[in-house]
Amino acid sequence: MAGWQGVTFLKPSYVELMIEGDCAEVGGILSRVGDKWSVLVVVALADRPLHFNELKRLIDAVSAKVLTSTLKALVRDGFIIRHEISAMPTRVSYELTPLGRDLLTVVRDLALWSVRNRFAIREARKTYDASTPPARRLIKAV
Amino acid sequence: MAGWQGVTFLKPSYVELMIEGDCAEVGGILSRVGDKWSVLVVVALADRPLHFNELKRLIDAVSAKVLTSTLKALVRDGFIIRHEISAMPTRVSYELTPLGRDLLTVVRDLALWSVRNRFAIREARKTYDASTPPARRLIKAV
DNA sequence: CGGCATCCAGACCGATACTG
DNA sequence: CAGTATCGGTCTGGATGCCG
C-alpha cells in the first residue's frame, strides 16, 4: 500500500507530472489503482450503494479481514463513504463519492486499454515462454 | 503479479469491459500498471534505451534482484526489449517497444489524474486521521 | 557488467473464532 | 450484521556472494 517512501527517482522530463507532488504521494495513488480488491470494490459500487455482506458476496474471493481494510483505505482516501445505521443488528452501507466515481472512470479506461491490448500481450507472453526454457524463468506463468 | 485466478466476480453492468477477456487477464495487466517498479522502469526508459546499471542507478531504491525480475516481466509482456551484446564484459540494454510506449501514455494519464486529485485525497486523509483514533486504524499512515 | 543462487526478515492474506 | 482478534502459512523483497 505504501512502500514508495524511499523513492526519490524521477525522470527529469517527467518531473512536470509530479509538479509540487512528490513521487511517494503519486505512487501511493497508483498502487491503490493497481490493488485488486480496491478496484473490484469500486467497480462493485458503480451503480448503487452496498452493504458489507453484499460486497462480500459479490467479491466472494475476499476474506472479511481484507475487505474491511480495503474499505477503510478507500474511505480514508475519500473514494467511498461509510453510512452506519445504529440499530440492532447494525447496518452499514458503502457508497462512492464523486471522487470515487472519478476513480471509476479512470479504472474503466485502464480496463479498456487492457482489453484492447490483451492480444498483443498474450502473444508476447506466448513467444517469450516458447523461447525460454521454464527452468530459466523467474516469474510465474499467468 | 498474478493472484487474480480465483476472481470470477464481475459486475453485470461492467461485463462489457472484459468482453472476451477474463477478469484474471485484465487484472494481471492492471496490477502491472500498479506495480511500483514496473512503472518507474517504463518512465525511466521514456526517451532512450538504458543499460542495466543505468536503470539501477536511476532507480537506486530497487535491489538488483527485483530489478531483474521486473525487467523480465516487462520483456515477457512485450513492453520492453532486451538487447544483449555478447562481449566481455557483457553489455545489455533495455528499450521500450511500441506497446511499451503505449503503456507509457497510459501511465502518464494515470499520474496526471493522481496529480489533479492529490489535494482532495490528501484532505480526505487528513480529515479521516483527525477523526479516527490511531489505535482504531488498521491501515498504515502514509 | 549483468546477472543468478541463497538466505532471511517482514508483509500480506486466509481461516477461524469471537463480540456488540 | 458488521466487524475484530489471533494464528499461521505464503510470498515478497533486501542483502550478500558468486559466476561468465
Side-chain angles (χ1 to χ4, degrees):
Chain A
M1 201 163 302
W4 283 71
Q5 287 83 352
V7 183
T8 54
F9 154 74
L10 216 43
K11 280 243 64 192
S13 52
Y14 273 81
V15 167
E16 18 157 350
L17 284 185
M18 317 292 189
I19 322 159
E20 294 272 325
D22 62 323
C23 201
E25 185 169 25
V26 172
I29 300 176
L30 285 195
S31 38
R32 181 67 28 84
V33 173
D35 179 59
K36 177 171 54 168
W37 305 123
S38 296
V39 169
L40 288 175
V41 166
V42 168
V43 171
L45 294 175
D47 44 39
R48 69 182 179 90
L50 294 172
H51 297 295
F52 183 88
N53 277 338
E54 288 181 307
L55 275 169
K56 177 89 180 63
R57 268 190 299 275
L58 274 174
I59 316 175
D60 76 301
V62 75
S63 68
K65 190 177 84 174
V66 172
L67 180 56
T68 299
S69 63
T70 301
L71 288 169
K72 283 197 178 184
L74 290 171
V75 168
R76 189 170 105 99
D77 285 355
F79 294 128
I80 63 178
I81 289 185
R82 199 187 109 112
H83 299 284
E84 181 172 345
I85 300 171
S86 288
M88 215 26 174
T90 319
R91 294 291 281 180
V92 178
S93 68
Y94 294 91
E95 178 184 14
L96 286 180
T97 61
L99 187 61
R101 304 220 147 266
D102 205 38
L103 177 62
L104 182 63
T105 69
V106 171
V107 167
R108 195 201 53 219
D109 289 348
L110 219 52
L112 288 174
W113 181 85
S114 303
V115 169
R116 275 202 309 279
N117 292 97
R118 93 200 104 103
F119 292 119
I121 295 173
R122 199 186 295 169
E123 201 56 39
R125 286 181 180 172
K126 207 185 305 179
T127 305
Y128 183 91
D129 292 350
S131 68
T132 310
R136 297 209 49 194
R137 257 181 285 145
L138 270 186
I139 45 176
K140 292 184 292 282
V142 175
Chain B
M1 206 160 296
W4 283 71
Q5 288 83 351
V7 183
T8 54
F9 153 74
L10 218 42
K11 281 245 60 196
S13 53
Y14 272 80
V15 168
E16 17 155 351
L17 284 185
M18 320 288 190
I19 323 159
E20 295 271 327
D22 62 322
C23 201
E25 185 168 27
V26 172
I29 300 175
L30 285 196
S31 37
R32 179 67 30 85
V33 173
D35 179 59
K36 177 170 56 166
W37 305 124
S38 295
V39 168
L40 288 176
V41 166
V42 169
V43 171
L45 294 175
D47 43 40
R48 69 183 179 90
L50 294 172
H51 297 295
F52 183 88
N53 277 337
E54 287 181 308
L55 275 169
K56 178 88 181 61
R57 269 189 299 274
L58 274 174
I59 316 174
D60 74 304
V62 74
S63 69
K65 188 177 89 173
V66 173
L67 181 55
T68 299
S69 63
T70 301
L71 288 169
K72 281 198 180 183
L74 289 172
V75 167
R76 189 171 104 101
D77 286 355
F79 294 129
I80 62 177
I81 290 185
R82 198 186 109 114
H83 301 284
E84 181 174 346
I85 300 172
S86 289
M88 218 22 173
T90 320
R91 294 292 281 180
V92 178
S93 68
Y94 294 91
E95 178 183 15
L96 287 179
T97 62
L99 186 61
R101 303 220 147 266
D102 204 37
L103 176 63
L104 181 62
T105 70
V106 171
V107 167
R108 195 201 54 219
D109 290 347
L110 219 53
L112 287 174
W113 180 87
S114 304
V115 169
R116 275 201 310 279
N117 293 96
R118 94 199 103 102
F119 292 119
I121 295 173
R122 200 186 295 168
E123 201 55 38
R125 286 181 181 172
K126 208 185 303 179
T127 306
Y128 183 91
D129 292 350
S131 68
T132 309
R136 298 208 51 193
R137 257 180 285 144
L138 272 186
I139 46 176
K140 291 184 293 282
V142 174

